[in-house]
mmCIF file of all heavy atoms in Angstrom:
data_model
loop_
_atom_site.group_PDB
_atom_site.id
_atom_site.type_symbol
_atom_site.label_atom_id
_atom_site.label_comp_id
_atom_site.label_asym_id
_atom_site.label_seq_id
_atom_site.Cartn_x
_atom_site.Cartn_y
_atom_site.Cartn_z
ATOM 1 N N PHE A 465 -26.459 -67.920 20.552
ATOM 2 C CA PHE A 465 -26.428 -66.830 21.566
ATOM 3 C C PHE A 465 -27.075 -65.529 20.970
ATOM 4 O O PHE A 465 -26.914 -65.243 19.780
ATOM 5 C CB PHE A 465 -24.940 -66.504 21.941
ATOM 6 C CG PHE A 465 -24.346 -67.683 22.653
ATOM 7 C CD1 PHE A 465 -23.492 -68.524 21.958
ATOM 8 C CD2 PHE A 465 -24.697 -68.016 23.922
ATOM 9 C CE1 PHE A 465 -23.022 -69.684 22.553
ATOM 10 C CE2 PHE A 465 -24.081 -69.096 24.539
ATOM 11 C CZ PHE A 465 -23.346 -69.907 23.874
ATOM 12 N N PHE A 466 -27.733 -64.829 21.912
ATOM 13 C CA PHE A 466 -28.284 -63.664 21.501
ATOM 14 C C PHE A 466 -27.787 -62.481 22.461
ATOM 15 O O PHE A 466 -27.656 -62.742 23.654
ATOM 16 C CB PHE A 466 -29.904 -63.572 21.714
ATOM 17 C CG PHE A 466 -30.597 -64.575 20.771
ATOM 18 C CD1 PHE A 466 -30.773 -65.903 21.049
ATOM 19 C CD2 PHE A 466 -31.211 -64.054 19.495
ATOM 20 C CE1 PHE A 466 -31.308 -66.826 20.135
ATOM 21 C CE2 PHE A 466 -31.780 -64.897 18.750
ATOM 22 C CZ PHE A 466 -31.950 -66.266 19.023
ATOM 23 N N ILE A 467 -27.279 -61.453 21.845
ATOM 24 C CA ILE A 467 -26.714 -60.360 22.730
ATOM 25 C C ILE A 467 -27.387 -59.036 22.533
ATOM 26 O O ILE A 467 -27.821 -58.773 21.396
ATOM 27 C CB ILE A 467 -25.168 -60.346 22.531
ATOM 28 C CG1 ILE A 467 -24.830 -59.914 21.051
ATOM 29 C CG2 ILE A 467 -24.575 -61.581 23.016
ATOM 30 C CD1 ILE A 467 -23.457 -59.631 21.011
ATOM 31 N N GLY A 468 -27.524 -58.237 23.568
ATOM 32 C CA GLY A 468 -28.008 -56.899 23.435
ATOM 33 C C GLY A 468 -27.687 -56.128 24.604
ATOM 34 O O GLY A 468 -27.229 -56.762 25.666
ATOM 35 N N ARG A 469 -27.820 -54.797 24.609
ATOM 36 C CA ARG A 469 -27.545 -53.910 25.807
ATOM 37 C C ARG A 469 -28.805 -53.137 26.035
ATOM 38 O O ARG A 469 -29.390 -52.638 25.132
ATOM 39 C CB ARG A 469 -26.274 -53.028 25.553
ATOM 40 C CG ARG A 469 -24.984 -53.907 25.613
ATOM 41 C CD ARG A 469 -23.852 -52.906 25.100
ATOM 42 N NE ARG A 469 -22.542 -53.754 25.249
ATOM 43 C CZ ARG A 469 -21.651 -53.404 26.383
ATOM 44 N NH1 ARG A 469 -21.754 -52.383 27.099
ATOM 45 N NH2 ARG A 469 -20.467 -54.012 26.203
ATOM 46 N N GLY A 470 -28.928 -52.574 27.264
ATOM 47 C CA GLY A 470 -30.098 -51.760 27.601
ATOM 48 C C GLY A 470 -31.308 -52.472 27.246
ATOM 49 O O GLY A 470 -31.547 -53.708 27.488
ATOM 50 N N MET A 471 -32.251 -51.755 26.575
ATOM 51 C CA MET A 471 -33.649 -52.294 26.136
ATOM 52 C C MET A 471 -33.304 -53.517 25.341
ATOM 53 O O MET A 471 -34.257 -54.508 25.401
ATOM 54 C CB MET A 471 -34.403 -51.244 25.338
ATOM 55 C CG MET A 471 -34.880 -50.141 26.083
ATOM 56 S SD MET A 471 -36.356 -50.690 26.944
ATOM 57 C CE MET A 471 -37.434 -49.322 26.719
ATOM 58 N N ASP A 472 -32.286 -53.576 24.476
ATOM 59 C CA ASP A 472 -32.170 -54.669 23.592
ATOM 60 C C ASP A 472 -31.891 -55.967 24.346
ATOM 61 O O ASP A 472 -31.977 -57.027 23.912
ATOM 62 C CB ASP A 472 -31.063 -54.415 22.622
ATOM 63 C CG ASP A 472 -31.449 -53.223 21.648
ATOM 64 O OD1 ASP A 472 -32.507 -52.998 21.335
ATOM 65 O OD2 ASP A 472 -30.513 -52.519 21.187
ATOM 66 N N TYR A 473 -31.266 -55.787 25.547
ATOM 67 C CA TYR A 473 -30.946 -57.020 26.414
ATOM 68 C C TYR A 473 -32.199 -57.726 26.788
ATOM 69 O O TYR A 473 -32.168 -58.915 26.705
ATOM 70 C CB TYR A 473 -30.151 -56.445 27.548
ATOM 71 C CG TYR A 473 -29.949 -57.641 28.660
ATOM 72 C CD1 TYR A 473 -29.531 -58.927 28.368
ATOM 73 C CD2 TYR A 473 -30.225 -57.320 30.034
ATOM 74 C CE1 TYR A 473 -29.402 -59.726 29.319
ATOM 75 C CE2 TYR A 473 -30.050 -58.213 30.952
ATOM 76 C CZ TYR A 473 -29.741 -59.476 30.642
ATOM 77 O OH TYR A 473 -29.519 -60.493 31.563
ATOM 78 N N PHE A 474 -33.338 -57.015 27.094
ATOM 79 C CA PHE A 474 -34.532 -57.567 27.488
ATOM 80 C C PHE A 474 -35.033 -58.340 26.318
ATOM 81 O O PHE A 474 -35.753 -59.563 26.466
ATOM 82 C CB PHE A 474 -35.552 -56.560 28.072
ATOM 83 C CG PHE A 474 -34.828 -55.791 29.088
ATOM 84 C CD1 PHE A 474 -34.992 -54.306 29.136
ATOM 85 C CD2 PHE A 474 -34.166 -56.355 30.094
ATOM 86 C CE1 PHE A 474 -34.414 -53.509 29.984
ATOM 87 C CE2 PHE A 474 -33.543 -55.556 31.193
ATOM 88 C CZ PHE A 474 -33.682 -54.160 31.014
ATOM 89 N N VAL A 475 -34.908 -57.880 25.163
ATOM 90 C CA VAL A 475 -35.511 -58.501 23.996
ATOM 91 C C VAL A 475 -34.655 -59.819 23.619
ATOM 92 O O VAL A 475 -35.280 -60.796 23.233
ATOM 93 C CB VAL A 475 -35.694 -57.477 22.784
ATOM 94 C CG1 VAL A 475 -36.194 -58.182 21.447
ATOM 95 C CG2 VAL A 475 -36.369 -56.367 23.055
ATOM 96 N N VAL A 476 -33.382 -59.785 23.879
ATOM 97 C CA VAL A 476 -32.698 -60.898 23.621
ATOM 98 C C VAL A 476 -32.932 -62.125 24.563
ATOM 99 O O VAL A 476 -32.924 -63.313 24.135
ATOM 100 C CB VAL A 476 -31.079 -60.723 23.415
ATOM 101 C CG1 VAL A 476 -30.812 -59.749 22.198
ATOM 102 C CG2 VAL A 476 -30.443 -60.420 24.710
ATOM 103 N N LEU A 477 -33.267 -61.666 25.734
ATOM 104 C CA LEU A 477 -33.729 -62.731 26.588
ATOM 105 C C LEU A 477 -35.019 -63.493 26.072
ATOM 106 O O LEU A 477 -35.158 -64.685 26.138
ATOM 107 C CB LEU A 477 -34.072 -62.239 27.992
ATOM 108 C CG LEU A 477 -32.964 -61.566 28.790
ATOM 109 C CD1 LEU A 477 -33.470 -61.005 30.006
ATOM 110 C CD2 LEU A 477 -31.861 -62.705 29.117
ATOM 111 N N GLU A 478 -35.886 -62.695 25.550
ATOM 112 C CA GLU A 478 -37.186 -63.281 24.951
ATOM 113 C C GLU A 478 -36.891 -63.991 23.554
ATOM 114 O O GLU A 478 -37.334 -65.071 23.384
ATOM 115 C CB GLU A 478 -38.088 -62.037 24.708
ATOM 116 C CG GLU A 478 -39.359 -62.397 23.828
ATOM 117 C CD GLU A 478 -40.164 -63.533 24.479
ATOM 118 O OE1 GLU A 478 -39.981 -63.908 25.651
ATOM 119 O OE2 GLU A 478 -41.101 -63.964 23.880
ATOM 120 N N ALA A 479 -35.795 -63.504 23.017
ATOM 121 C CA ALA A 479 -35.466 -64.079 21.672
ATOM 122 C C ALA A 479 -34.909 -65.506 21.880
ATOM 123 O O ALA A 479 -35.367 -66.519 21.343
ATOM 124 C CB ALA A 479 -34.468 -63.434 20.954
ATOM 125 N N ALA A 480 -34.134 -65.603 22.961
ATOM 126 C CA ALA A 480 -33.511 -66.956 23.303
ATOM 127 C C ALA A 480 -34.558 -67.901 23.918
ATOM 128 O O ALA A 480 -34.630 -69.176 23.429
ATOM 129 C CB ALA A 480 -32.452 -66.710 24.360
ATOM 130 N N LEU A 481 -35.538 -67.475 24.694
ATOM 131 C CA LEU A 481 -36.654 -68.299 25.053
ATOM 132 C C LEU A 481 -37.319 -68.908 23.955
ATOM 133 O O LEU A 481 -37.752 -69.966 23.935
ATOM 134 C CB LEU A 481 -37.497 -67.455 26.080
ATOM 135 C CG LEU A 481 -38.757 -68.208 26.696
ATOM 136 C CD1 LEU A 481 -38.335 -69.480 27.422
ATOM 137 C CD2 LEU A 481 -39.437 -67.354 27.472
ATOM 138 N N LYS A 482 -37.757 -67.884 23.014
ATOM 139 C CA LYS A 482 -38.612 -68.428 21.900
ATOM 140 C C LYS A 482 -37.927 -69.453 21.081
ATOM 141 O O LYS A 482 -38.466 -70.493 20.709
ATOM 142 C CB LYS A 482 -38.823 -67.103 20.955
ATOM 143 C CG LYS A 482 -40.117 -66.941 20.306
ATOM 144 C CD LYS A 482 -41.210 -66.342 21.142
ATOM 145 C CE LYS A 482 -41.428 -67.135 22.506
ATOM 146 N NZ LYS A 482 -42.396 -66.484 23.471
ATOM 147 N N LEU A 483 -36.606 -69.191 20.878
ATOM 148 C CA LEU A 483 -35.893 -70.251 20.040
ATOM 149 C C LEU A 483 -35.825 -71.459 20.885
ATOM 150 O O LEU A 483 -36.053 -72.726 20.151
ATOM 151 C CB LEU A 483 -34.487 -69.796 19.741
ATOM 152 C CG LEU A 483 -33.691 -70.638 18.795
ATOM 153 C CD1 LEU A 483 -34.236 -70.612 17.389
ATOM 154 C CD2 LEU A 483 -32.153 -70.240 18.623
ATOM 155 N N LYS A 484 -35.476 -71.502 22.045
ATOM 156 C CA LYS A 484 -35.362 -72.813 22.803
ATOM 157 C C LYS A 484 -36.706 -73.522 22.846
ATOM 158 O O LYS A 484 -36.689 -74.814 22.684
ATOM 159 C CB LYS A 484 -35.094 -72.486 24.392
ATOM 160 C CG LYS A 484 -33.843 -71.980 24.753
ATOM 161 C CD LYS A 484 -33.681 -71.984 26.276
ATOM 162 C CE LYS A 484 -33.896 -70.509 26.676
ATOM 163 N NZ LYS A 484 -32.965 -70.228 27.818
ATOM 164 N N GLU A 485 -37.662 -72.799 23.115
ATOM 165 C CA GLU A 485 -38.961 -73.585 23.396
ATOM 166 C C GLU A 485 -39.540 -74.258 22.223
ATOM 167 O O GLU A 485 -40.231 -75.374 22.321
ATOM 168 C CB GLU A 485 -40.000 -72.778 24.330
ATOM 169 C CG GLU A 485 -40.755 -71.665 23.449
ATOM 170 C CD GLU A 485 -41.833 -71.006 24.266
ATOM 171 O OE1 GLU A 485 -42.391 -71.558 25.292
ATOM 172 O OE2 GLU A 485 -42.091 -69.779 23.973
ATOM 173 N N ILE A 486 -39.273 -73.713 21.019
ATOM 174 C CA ILE A 486 -40.006 -74.402 19.883
ATOM 175 C C ILE A 486 -38.965 -75.049 18.957
ATOM 176 O O ILE A 486 -39.354 -76.008 18.205
ATOM 177 C CB ILE A 486 -40.814 -73.492 19.038
ATOM 178 C CG1 ILE A 486 -40.054 -72.281 18.592
ATOM 179 C CG2 ILE A 486 -42.003 -72.838 19.851
ATOM 180 C CD1 ILE A 486 -40.855 -71.418 17.491
#
Side-chain angles (χ1 to χ4, degrees):
F465 297 99
F466 293 85
I467 59 172
R469 286 172 176 248
M471 286 285 221
D472 297 329
Y473 169 47
F474 308 130
V475 181
V476 299
L477 294 177
E478 172 59 8
L481 176 61
K482 220 77 309 166
L483 186 68
K484 290 189 254 217
E485 74 176 332
I486 61 169

